[in-house]
Amino acid sequence: MLTVALPKGRLGEKVYSILHKAGYTCDEMSSDTRKLVLENKEVGIRYLLVKPTDVPVYVERGAADVGIAGKDVLVETGANVYELMDLGFGKCRMAVAAKKDYVENRDRTLRVATKFVNIATSHFAKQGRAIDIIQLHGSIELAPIVGLSDVIVDIVESGSTLRENNLVVIEEFMPISARFFANISSYKFKEDEIEKMLLCLKEAIND
Ligand code: PRP
C-alpha cells in the first residue's frame, strides 16, 4: 500500500486526474468530499487530502510515502525528500511585483509582503538588500495597494490578479511546476511500488 499526500484545491484536481489516468483510481474521490483519507485497496493506494503547503511535511516525516506539490512549496518548506519527477503542469513563476508607479528608494528598508517568507528572504539576501518581511496568508496583491508593503513576492500564473490590481512584475526569478517526490526511507523500502507509480505517471503524462 502506498500513501500519497495530495494537495487539495486547483492543483489537486489536475494531480488526481493524472493519477486516475495512471491507474490509481479511487471511487471515493470527488471534489465535494469532506473525507481526508480515501483508499482503494485493490490498487494499493491511500490518498491523504492536505493543504498544498503541508504536502512536503507529510512526506518528509513519513506520514505519506510520496506526494505532489508545486516547486514553490518544496523550496519554501526546505523539506528533505527525493524529488523524482517534474510533472510539467501547474506552471507559474515566482515574482517580485509592485504598483505601476512604484519607484524604489534604496536608502530605505524594502517592505516585502509574501506567503513565501523563506524564498523572499533568500532572494533579497542574494542581492544584499535589507528587507522587512510582512507575512500574509492570501490576497497578497492587496498589500502594496493599501501601503502595507512596497513590493510583494508571490506566484504569477496568468498574470490577471496583478493586472486587475494595477500591479506589475519587477522581476521573475523562479520557474515553478508540480513535482512528484518521495520520503527518503519509503523510497528504500518501497522502491518497486514507487518506481512503478513513477513510470505510470510518466506514461499518463506523455499519453
Ligand atoms: C495565487 C497567487 C496569486 C494568484 C496568481 O493566489 O497568490 O494571487 O494565484 O494567479 P494569476 O497570475 O493567474 O492571477 P490564490 O488564488 O492561490 O489565492 P490566495 O490569494 O488566497 O493566495
Side-chain angles (χ1 to χ4, degrees):
M1 175 79 86
L2 267 188
T3 301
V4 183
L6 268 194
K8 291 200 278 191
R10 268 197 284 187
L11 182 63
E13 284 173 24
K14 282 189 198 162
V15 170
Y16 179 67
S17 81
I18 288 291
L19 283 157
H20 187 274
K21 203 172 157 196
Y24 296 94
T25 55
C26 185
D27 288 344
E28 292 179 310
M29 189 74 77
S30 71
S31 55
D32 57 356
T33 185
R34 299 300 296 166
K35 276 188 89 167
L36 301 171
V37 183
L38 309 173
E39 254 183 36
N40 181 352
K41 288 203 174 81
E42 277 166 36
V43 297
I45 201 83
R46 184 160 73 129
Y47 289 118
L48 309 182
L49 303 191
V50 307
K51 227 177 125 70
T53 46
D54 293 338
V55 171
V57 180
Y58 279 83
V59 176
E60 181 179 32
R61 291 181 174 265
D65 299 305
V66 293
I68 293 168
K71 181 70 178 173
D72 52 330
V73 168
L74 267 184
V75 175
E76 178 64 21
T77 55
N80 185 22
V81 293
Y82 275 145
E83 198 180 309
L84 296 169
M85 184 186 175
D86 181 346
L87 297 169
F89 58 80
K91 283 193 176 167
C92 52
R93 296 87 64 198
M94 189 64 68
V96 181
K99 274 165 65 174
K100 276 184 182 157
D101 58 0
Y102 171 69
V103 182
E104 190 176 354
N105 176 356
R106 285 231 157 214
D107 298 332
R108 267 193 32 210
T109 302
L110 188 70
R111 295 170 307 151
V112 182
T114 189
K115 279 185 276 199
F116 301 95
V117 169
N118 296 325
I119 291 174
T121 304
S122 110
H123 175 69
F124 287 105
K126 280 183 204 145
Q127 300 182 346
R129 187 82 165 94
I131 61 164
D132 174 14
I133 283 273
I134 300 160
Q135 182 173 21
L136 297 176
H137 298 92
S139 303
I140 313 300
E141 292 81 358
L142 186 57
I145 298 173
V146 297
L148 177 63
S149 75
D150 301 309
V151 299
I152 61 170
V153 168
D154 200 11
I155 51 172
V156 179
E157 192 176 349
S158 64
S160 50
T161 312
L162 290 182
R163 260 191 313 278
E164 288 183 30
N165 291 290
N166 293 315
L167 304 177
V168 289
V169 169
I170 295 178
E171 189 189 359
E172 284 180 356
F173 62 94
M174 185 193 285
I176 294 160
S177 54
R179 307 297 161 102
F180 175 60
F181 49 92
N183 170 271
I184 289 170
S185 357
S186 295
Y187 189 75
K188 279 188 203 134
F189 296 111
K190 298 186 179 180
E191 189 181 346
D192 292 350
E193 273 176 273
I194 294 174
E195 282 295 332
K196 183 177 168 227
M197 181 177 261
L198 184 61
L199 195 69
C200 292
L201 278 172
K202 279 185 184 156
E203 283 171 3
I205 282 170
N206 295 329
D207 190 12

